[in-house]
Amino acid sequence: MSAPAPAPAEQSSRRLRFERIPMRRIILIVLSVSIIYGVVAGSTATLRTGVFTAEDWQSLFINGLARGSVYALIAIGYTLVYGILFMINFAHGEVFMAGVYTAYFVAVAFAGNGFLNSNPLLSIAILLLVSMAVSVFIAVLLERLAYRPLRGAPRLVPLITAIGASFFLQYTFRGFYGANVRAYPTIEILQGKWTIFGIQMLKTQAIVIVAALFLWFLLYLFVARTKTGRSMRAVGEDREIASLMGINVDRTIVATFAIGGALAGAAGILYVFLFNQVIFTMGFLPGIKAFTAAVLGGIGSITGAAMGGLILGILEAVGPNLFLTGAEVPSPNQLQPVIAFGILVLVLIFLPGGFLGASEEKRA
Amino acid sequence: MSHLLELEGVSKRFGGVQAVDSVDFFADPGEIVGVIGPNGAGKTTLFNIVTGFYSPDAGKINFDGHNLVGLKPNQITRVGISRTFQSVRLFAAMTVLENAMVGQHTRTKAGIYGALFNTRRTVNEEQKVHTSAIESLSFFGERLTPRINSLASELAYADRRRLEIARAMATEPQLLLLDEPAAGMNPAEKEGLIELIGRLRDEKGYAIVLIEHDMPVIKGVSDRVVALDYGKKIAEGSYDEVAADPQVIAAYLGKAGSEEQQ
Amino acid sequence: MNLRSALKPGFVGGIVVVYLSAIGMVERFQDRNVITGLVGLGVVLMLVAFAITSYTAARKSDSSLLTGVAVGFISGAFVAIVTMGFEGLINAGLDVRGMFVSITPGLLETLEFGLNPVVGAFMMVVASTAVGAVSGVLVGLEYHLRSAVVFAIGITLLMSLGEPILRVTLGNLQIPTGWLYELGGLTIAGTIIVLALAFGLRWWWMSRADTRREAAAQMPEATRRTWGRASLMAAIVALVALPWIVGPFVSDVLGTVGLYVLLGLGLNIVVGYAGLLDLGYVAFFAVGAYAAAIFTSPASFLVTEEGQQFAEAGFTNLWVALPFVVIIAVVIGAAIGAPVLRLRGDYLAIVTLGFGEIIRTLVLSDWLSPYLGGAQGLTRVPAAPPSSFDLRNPQHIYYLILAFSLIAAYISYRLVDSRVGRAWAAMREDEDVAEAMGISVVRYKLLAFAMGAGVGSLGGVFFAAKIGSIFPNSFGLQVSINVLAVIILGGIGSIPGVIVGAAALVGLPELLREFGEFRLLIYGAILIAIMIFRPEGLLPNKRRQRELHEGQDLAAVDLTKEGPS
């Protein structure tokens, strides 16, 4: 005898039991276990081969710290804007590019007449000023022309605009300055190495790390202590109430973009200390990586942006060699973007609030 | 006889706030239960737990022989619970009819295949969706049916509330959860609402749980009233019993008192 | 009228023209004749910029002619002064081109109309003032007349820009074109004829508008449906006949446009219907192309040495591979989608972008190059049988792409008003409520994502079949942005919009090689402009339009409908 057909209630109950299996959680667990396995296995294999000496790891670490400092400075621009407008300013990488690319021509002029190496500190200060000024100008222009008309629009609308702005700016500067890679003139006093606490590092790396820390600290004080900084936090909390309290919301938003731009401009100069070249597309990858850093640290948090930047920089510099060499992956450093984007994806999946950020908003 | 919906020791915590604190609760078939309590008492959180938007930290929820804990909101709708929202949440860019048709989602099956080849089953099903949506809308007499092709956002406020109920009806529930249905209504509309809730039970056979601040409405419709404060159940019984309960009075007066002080 | 009100638009016009010059657009476009021997496209570009600024300013003012003249004058003066400034800097021996690579002698020559700097500057002011005056007069004209004038100018411009297609097409039809075109532009006589014809036609059409509307209103439902069907059939017949009318070169362009229509329809399901902004759409395009190449190329790593002969003989062919490719893409789409679909919209966008870049990096890497060819790409994707239907022939592959685009369009069309379409629409508007109505948000997001992946991979397969070899460079973020721009320009969620978007954004630049380097610049500008001024796109999907204008009063919506297009 065959069993009687299950009653509808029973059937739906069986369906529910099946659907109750948390598929997503299972996928996530499988994913995280395999990633952890890959990382551990790859790292141990690499370490066992002994291809890299302790000094190699040290220098990779410093390298990561230096580039991470640059990411951290750019990330602050994302974090500030997100904290106040809840939009991803996708074009922020281009703000970064615009400043340092423009300053390039000043650097070339200085190098041409010898000023660059006869007055290196003054030259660097001027380059910084030019780069920051141009970046601030572009950031503020962007806000005024592209984003301000869209306040209050559905969330994806400003994001699409920002993507459009990113390409628009890239190709604008391509039109202005050309499509070639241009080598930044070298500054002699920045060449060579220092030994600090027994660790050898390039002078540029040390300077980048210290300068980034200093700028970050300035910003931290600014946001914590000044009136504009307090306004920024207030507007981020609740724009309407802030404006009722007499805060000029427009001006505060402009200030936010300007500060983000200034730091991006400074980051640009630090970036060329490390990488020595500019091209119109140079903003894209650092931009995305800085955004990753901002999310990693918890978007909206300035400390988070700094931490996220450093962590990302180190993972990116050390990671491919550590995880992949042992797995006999040829030229692992080619896969650096995979590490960066992989972290981005994983952070958003597992830790959408970041290390320091608030958890996802409540629903319903 | 077991209850239609039964909660046992349900708790939910948000950070430092105990939003719902080991609440026992039930509703029987065909029963209308009013849930009252000051703002922040955990009423809406309770709804969100029952409908699967939050998962409880502790406790059991049973409905019609199903364990609801761990089910997603859409699955809970499928087993027969439907709800409205405190701040009316319609699909504003859809027409009145489309809103009600969305409600039929779980009661229909058509997938891509049916849509592409326009199979007889899909055609019949679309017909059924249409009829049933119209039926839900016509429950409100002449309020919604003449406007089925206008946008939900064009409706008057009270009609939006009605459409939200119609949409919930279209899911063919056994239990309807209404979150402050009388909010923003004038006295005449409230009268209509009392009658409507009665009809929902009598004609459709739903069990109804409603959150409401408006005491005349609660008094007018409830078979049983449950009072919450700070996430705890503080009283349960007939309207008169609960209204006379010193803890309930204290809860309301305490709130009112502290509001006055501000 | 207040002169100060003309100051700002005047400067805006001037800055825009200086900007267009500084990025090299004016000079590059000037290479192309609009009216041969009279004006090039670069000058037209400037004049259009002047016209638009003076027109918008004049429309807001009560004395339109004066405002138009003033705005035109200020713009022109600004441009003239900047031009003279650069001339001076160059004469002073400054290496301006070392920084601004586009400020070339050729550009300055264009800006000075080939005259000496001072006379050129004077001419610039005269020209811009004249354009301003014309714009001002236009504003004052009665609606029908103005519309006919604008239409005539627009058509003339289009006729001129369309020279590559039109000349070839007319030639194929044995129609002489010597009277109309000369050296890539319109002849003067041709210009006059086109202007007059377009003006007359528009005038006639508009004068009959009321009668036409009445006739349409009186038409019985059945007749109207027949008409609708007939015009759809006519359109399909025209599409089928097209490649043989326009010839192989334009067919190739049509094939590319079709590819983007296909990709656009796929992305439209994801972005337009399900409301998920996918910035990594190129990933599925790449999966399709690479999977097709791996399955069919004799150079593929799947081919063993013994199998070499079979492979050369076409053991697996494109038709066999096609379903497998799509299945693979759908599986990858679902696998990528499953963990991330719970994310909020903007995060999802960035994650998908990340996936796209990960796939591109992997394809480029030495690590996977034994399988995917690294930077060298995969070559020798064989022609698909039968040999009489050679897919390398643009006139042939066009049909394949057309067929699948029609299928994709049909699928989209059927889905949008079905139970599935309603679920998507509900989810797009309010995820929580959709869930409370019993819609499994995850399932419907996955469904959209997987369908988009499948369609995208089809695009990739045809791309591989069309080109015969694939290189990682073809699969950058730009592709995702191109497709996104296509559906956004046409109107998110709108099927005709995808076609118009692809024709405008892919077809036009293919025809105007001068566009090439400014393509992404223009796409970026379009994304910004559409989002600000007309978020529902050119041919909006009704429901989407309502969503985007929620909360605005209806008057405002009507205004955008009536605006000049």
Side-chain angles (χ1 to χ4, degrees):
Chain A
M1 269 306 283
S2 61
E10 209 176 312
Q11 221 172 9
S12 92
S13 190
R14 198 175 296 164
R15 187 167 161 203
L16 284 178
R17 210 170 308 141
F18 175 71
E19 287 181 8
R20 207 187 292 266
I21 303 169
M23 283 310 288
R24 189 179 124 88
R25 199 170 301 160
I26 293 173
I27 294 174
L28 292 188
I29 289 171
V30 170
L31 189 67
S32 45
V33 168
S34 43
I35 289 169
I36 292 169
Y37 172 77
V39 165
V40 171
S43 309
T44 42
T46 306
L47 294 177
R48 207 170 290 147
T49 60
V51 182
F52 297 100
T53 60
E55 276 89 71
D56 290 335
W57 291 122
Q58 232 167 44
S59 79
L60 280 176
F61 184 83
I62 297 291
N63 178 316
L65 216 53
R67 66 165 75 193
S69 316
V70 177
Y71 298 156
L73 285 185
I74 309 174
I76 289 170
Y78 284 103
T79 256
L80 289 178
V81 168
Y82 199 94
I84 184 164
L85 286 175
F86 304 101
M87 71 167 281
I88 299 172
N89 179 13
F90 197 84
H92 191 59
E94 278 60 50
V95 169
F96 156 84
M97 172 273 292
V100 61
Y101 203 161
T102 307
Y104 162 82
F105 299 101
V106 179
V108 168
F110 284 174
N113 61 21
F115 186 75
L116 190 64
N117 285 316
S118 58
N119 283 300
L121 288 183
L122 185 59
S123 302
I124 292 172
I126 293 174
L127 287 182
L128 267 174
L129 272 181
V130 170
S131 176
M132 288 166 82
V134 173
S135 290
V136 167
F137 176 72
I138 297 288
V140 170
L141 203 66
L142 195 61
E143 191 278 328
R144 184 70 195 78
L145 297 182
Y147 302 153
R148 193 176 295 180
L150 294 172
R151 288 214 202 121
R155 219 178 199 161
L156 291 183
V157 169
L159 178 60
I160 292 172
T161 310
I163 293 165
S166 162
F167 278 87
F168 182 79
L169 285 173
Q170 263 185 43
Y171 283 83
T172 293
F173 281 90
R174 180 189 196 266
F176 284 164
Y177 301 153
N180 301 330
V181 180
R182 306 208 191 208
Y184 238 77
T186 43
I187 302 171
E188 271 155 28
I189 56 156
L190 295 182
Q191 304 309 303
K193 290 183 175 183
W194 277 324
T195 308
I196 301 171
F197 305 125
I199 303 169
Q200 266 215 341
M201 60 178 85
L202 294 174
K203 285 183 188 171
T204 48
Q205 289 174 336
I207 289 169
V208 166
I209 295 168
V210 172
L213 253 177
F214 175 70
L215 285 169
W216 178 84
F217 186 66
L218 275 189
L219 174 87
Y220 188 84
L221 285 185
F222 180 85
V223 173
R225 299 280 169 79
T226 63
K227 204 176 142 205
T228 314
R230 279 195 299 273
S231 308
M232 282 163 56
R233 279 179 294 157
V235 174
E237 280 294 322
D238 190 320
R239 206 180 300 163
E240 254 168 64
I241 292 181
S243 97
L244 287 177
M245 305 292 282
I247 292 172
N248 184 335
V249 173
D250 276 344
R251 195 188 299 156
T252 308
I253 291 175
V254 169
T256 310
F257 274 87
I259 294 166
L263 290 174
I269 298 295
L270 301 183
Y271 180 88
V272 292
F273 284 173
L274 299 176
F275 298 101
N276 298 319
Q277 59 183 33
V278 286
I279 183 175
F280 73 104
T281 52
M282 67 184 282
F284 176 70
L285 275 181
I288 293 280
K289 288 174 185 169
F291 174 74
T292 307
V295 176
L296 187 62
I299 198 147
S301 149
I302 295 171
T303 316
M307 278 177 49
L310 296 181
I311 293 172
L312 183 69
I314 292 164
L315 280 177
E316 198 185 53
V318 178
N321 296 306
L322 180 62
F323 310 148
L324 301 176
T325 312
E328 298 185 354
V329 173
S331 28
N333 280 317
Q334 274 184 345
L335 298 178
Q336 260 179 17
V338 175
I339 299 267
F341 287 114
I343 291 172
L344 171 67
V345 172
L346 294 177
V347 169
L348 286 180
I349 293 174
F350 290 105
L351 256 185
F355 291 135
L356 302 178
S359 63
E360 285 276 75
E361 307 133 87
K362 273 192 241 164
R363 311 176 58 205
Chain B
M1 175 62 204
S2 63
H3 304 294
L4 178 64
L5 172 73
E6 185 165 14
L7 278 68
E8 250 181 76
V10 168
S11 299
K12 180 75 189 174
R13 198 179 178 83
F14 292 117
V17 183
Q18 189 71 43
V20 174
D21 195 353
S22 77
V23 166
D24 298 329
F25 182 88
F26 69 91
D28 284 326
E31 190 184 24
I32 300 178
V33 185
V35 179
I36 62 169
N39 284 328
K43 303 178 305 273
T44 298
T45 307
L46 196 67
F47 267 27
N48 282 335
I49 292 173
V50 172
T51 50
F53 282 99
Y54 301 146
S55 60
D57 301 333
K60 287 185 200 161
I61 308 172
N62 264 293
F63 175 80
D64 193 26
H66 302 292
N67 169 16
L68 296 191
V69 178
L71 288 188
K72 297 194 198 79
N74 58 300
Q75 295 165 336
I76 289 173
T77 308
R78 202 169 67 220
V79 298
I81 301 180
S82 193
R83 70 176 290 183
T84 66
F85 292 85
Q86 190 174 340
S87 50
V88 191
R89 284 168 81 174
L90 291 169
F91 301 118
M94 292 192 195
T95 64
V96 169
L97 182 65
E98 285 169 334
N99 265 280
M101 284 169 86
V102 168
Q104 275 275 308
H105 186 86
T106 54
R107 303 300 162 213
T108 46
K109 288 212 177 76
I112 303 227
Y113 178 82
L116 291 191
F117 299 102
N118 214 11
T119 55
R120 175 164 311 164
R121 223 177 73 191
T122 311
V123 175
N124 291 342
E125 198 179 274
E126 280 293 295
Q127 193 60 48
K128 181 201 151 211
V129 169
H130 195 267
T131 330
S132 136
I134 297 276
E135 195 190 306
S136 308
L137 293 171
S138 55
F139 191 79
F140 298 86
E142 289 296 297
R143 301 305 314 208
L144 296 175
T145 37
R147 300 183 179 79
I148 55 172
N149 289 321
S150 17
L151 295 183
S153 54
E154 293 164 7
L155 292 182
Y157 181 75
D159 284 337
R160 292 189 203 182
R161 285 254 176 230
R162 293 188 180 101
L163 176 56
E164 215 190 8
I165 296 175
R167 187 178 64 184
M169 288 166 65
T171 67
E172 299 175 13
Q174 298 179 60
L175 171 67
L176 194 56
L177 306 181
L178 302 177
D179 198 344
E180 296 195 25
M185 288 189 169
N186 63 34
E189 287 166 341
K190 281 177 190 165
E191 279 299 314
L193 182 74
I194 292 174
E195 186 222 320
L196 177 86
I197 292 175
R199 278 178 56 217
L200 280 172
R201 187 247 314 263
D202 299 338
E203 294 175 23
K204 297 284 171 184
Y206 302 151
I208 295 168
V209 179
L210 77 155
I211 295 174
E212 195 43 80
H213 281 300
D214 190 277
M215 287 308 153
V217 171
I218 287 285
K219 184 179 159 116
V221 300
S222 309
D223 299 323
R224 190 155 53 82
V225 176
V226 171
L228 295 180
D229 191 27
Y230 292 113
K232 281 200 171 75
K233 186 163 82 177
I234 53 172
E236 183 170 7
S238 71
Y239 176 80
D240 294 329
E241 286 165 23
V242 171
D245 189 291
Q247 263 190 292
V248 176
I249 294 169
Y252 273 91
L253 283 181
K255 279 282 150 86
S258 66
E259 268 163 30
E260 265 164 38
Q261 278 166 22
Q262 288 169 4
Chain C
M1 95 125 218
N2 187 347
L3 237 184
R4 215 178 302 155
S5 70
L7 219 52
K8 195 177 151 199
F11 278 116
V12 169
I15 288 169
V16 167
V17 171
V18 168
Y19 167 83
L20 293 174
S21 308
I23 59 171
M25 219 175 196
V26 169
E27 195 196 356
R28 196 81 183 76
F29 279 21
Q30 186 62 16
D31 292 344
R32 178 161 187 130
N33 284 320
V34 174
I35 305 171
T36 305
L38 202 60
V39 274
L41 190 54
V43 170
V44 168
L45 187 69
M46 287 193 313
L47 298 185
V48 167
F50 289 140
I52 290 175
T53 38
S54 358
Y55 185 86
T56 28
R59 231 172 55 153
K60 284 185 209 145
S61 143
D62 42 7
S63 53
S64 47
L65 178 58
L66 265 177
T67 310
V69 169
V71 172
F73 177 81
I74 296 167
S75 308
F78 183 84
V79 177
I81 290 168
V82 173
T83 311
M84 292 214 290
F86 274 116
E87 191 75 51
L89 288 177
I90 291 167
N91 286 341
L94 227 68
D95 180 20
V96 174
R97 279 189 77 180
M99 183 166 177
F100 291 103
V101 292
S102 304
I103 310 270
T104 59
L107 172 72
L108 293 177
E109 200 187 307
T110 306
L111 292 177
E112 289 156 3
F113 300 95
L115 305 163
N116 100 36
V118 181
V119 184
F122 180 70
M123 279 301 292
M124 173 63 74
V125 177
V126 169
S128 67
T129 313
V131 168
V134 171
S135 311
V137 171
L138 261 184
V139 171
L141 288 183
E142 178 259 344
Y143 172 66
H144 281 197
L145 197 56
R146 183 176 66 214
S147 156
V149 170
V150 173
F151 181 78
I153 295 174
I155 287 294
T156 310
L157 210 55
L158 269 183
M159 284 285 285
S160 175
L161 294 182
E163 186 264 352
I165 332 177
L166 291 171
R167 198 169 42 76
V168 175
T169 311
L170 294 175
N172 286 348
L173 297 172
Q174 309 293 325
I175 298 171
T177 53
W179 59 277
L180 185 62
Y181 290 124
E182 182 185 25
L183 295 174
L186 289 167
T187 58
I188 295 180
T191 310
I192 295 169
I193 295 170
V194 171
L195 271 176
L197 267 179
F199 181 86
L201 273 175
R202 179 73 180 168
W203 183 259
W204 173 77
W205 180 254
M206 294 204 6
S207 64
R208 291 203 47 225
D210 290 335
T211 5
R212 217 174 40 242
R213 207 167 297 138
E214 260 168 47
Q218 281 168 2
M219 201 185 282
E221 182 63 22
T223 326
R224 194 176 309 165
R225 206 171 297 154
T226 322
W227 269 107
R229 244 173 236 162
S231 41
L232 188 67
M233 285 311 293
I236 290 178
V237 169
L239 281 175
V240 169
L242 211 48
W244 304 100
I245 300 174
V246 297
F249 164 66
V250 182
S251 293
D252 190 47
V253 175
L254 284 178
T256 311
V257 172
L259 211 53
Y260 272 89
V261 170
L262 190 60
L263 292 175
L265 287 169
L267 186 63
N268 191 40
I269 294 176
V270 186
V271 181
Y273 293 172
L276 308 167
L277 183 57
D278 180 357
L279 296 180
Y281 195 58
V282 64
F284 304 119
F285 183 61
V287 166
Y290 271 90
I294 288 170
F295 282 143
T296 61
S297 166
S300 154
F301 71 92
L302 290 179
V303 178
T304 58
E305 252 169 63
E306 305 90 75
Q308 197 65 45
Q309 276 169 332
F310 284 115
E312 297 285 358
F315 171 62
T316 50
N317 70 49
L318 194 74
W319 310 118
V320 178
L322 194 66
F324 293 102
V325 172
V326 174
I327 290 169
I328 288 174
V330 166
V331 170
I332 292 182
I336 288 181
V340 300
L341 288 178
R342 272 278 165 189
L343 291 175
R344 244 181 13 222
D346 45 359
Y347 278 11
L348 181 80
I350 301 290
V351 167
T352 51
L353 181 135
F355 277 129
E357 286 297 303
I358 288 176
I359 288 196
R360 197 177 63 92
T361 315
L362 288 178
V363 165
L364 256 170
S365 68
D366 291 350
W367 179 38
L368 295 177
S369 67
Y371 314 102
L372 303 177
Q376 273 77 48
L378 288 176
T379 51
R380 295 215 284 150
V381 179
S387 50
S388 57
F389 186 71
D390 177 14
L391 291 183
R392 298 286 144 68
N393 180 338
Q395 284 165 310
H396 289 169
I397 190 137
Y398 167 84
Y399 287 109
L400 193 60
I401 295 174
L402 176 68
F404 277 90
S405 300
L406 286 177
I407 294 173
Y410 178 76
I411 292 177
S412 309
Y413 166 77
R414 291 292 319 172
L415 282 182
V416 74
D417 276 323
S418 71
R419 173 171 176 267
V420 178
R422 277 196 302 273
W424 278 334
M427 188 174 91
R428 206 167 62 209
E429 266 205 67
D430 192 329
E431 248 178 60
D432 293 333
V433 180
E435 240 183 333
M437 290 300 115
I439 295 163
S440 166
V441 168
V442 171
R443 171 192 292 187
Y444 279 92
K445 281 185 175 178
L446 261 186
L447 179 67
F449 217 66
M451 287 185 72
V455 178
S457 71
L458 272 180
V461 173
F462 299 147
F463 179 74
K466 187 167 182 261
I467 311 253
S469 38
I470 46 178
F471 304 102
N473 293 346
S474 319
F475 303 98
L477 176 66
Q478 304 92 296
V479 178
S480 302
I481 301 300
N482 287 4
V483 184
L484 187 68
V486 161
I487 64 172
I488 281 176
L489 177 69
I492 302 174
S494 148
I495 299 169
V498 172
I499 298 164
V500 169
L505 290 185
V506 183
L508 276 183
E510 289 284 331
L511 294 174
L512 305 173
R513 256 155 291 118
E514 294 78 8
F515 255 58
E517 57 190 282
F518 303 108
R519 211 166 153 155
L520 282 160
L521 180 99
I522 293 168
Y523 288 3
I526 284 176
L527 287 182
I528 302 174
I530 290 274
M531 284 299 118
I532 293 178
F533 298 112
R534 200 178 162 88
E536 67 273 27
L538 296 181
L539 292 177
N541 164 307
K542 280 286 169 290
R543 190 182 279 153
R544 194 75 199 204
Q545 185 171 24
R546 299 189 303 237
E547 279 166 37
L548 285 161
H549 287 282
E550 242 165 61
Q552 279 180 24
D553 55 344
L554 291 163
V557 179
D558 286 345
L559 262 182
T560 60
K561 267 189 216 147
E562 253 202 42
S565 51

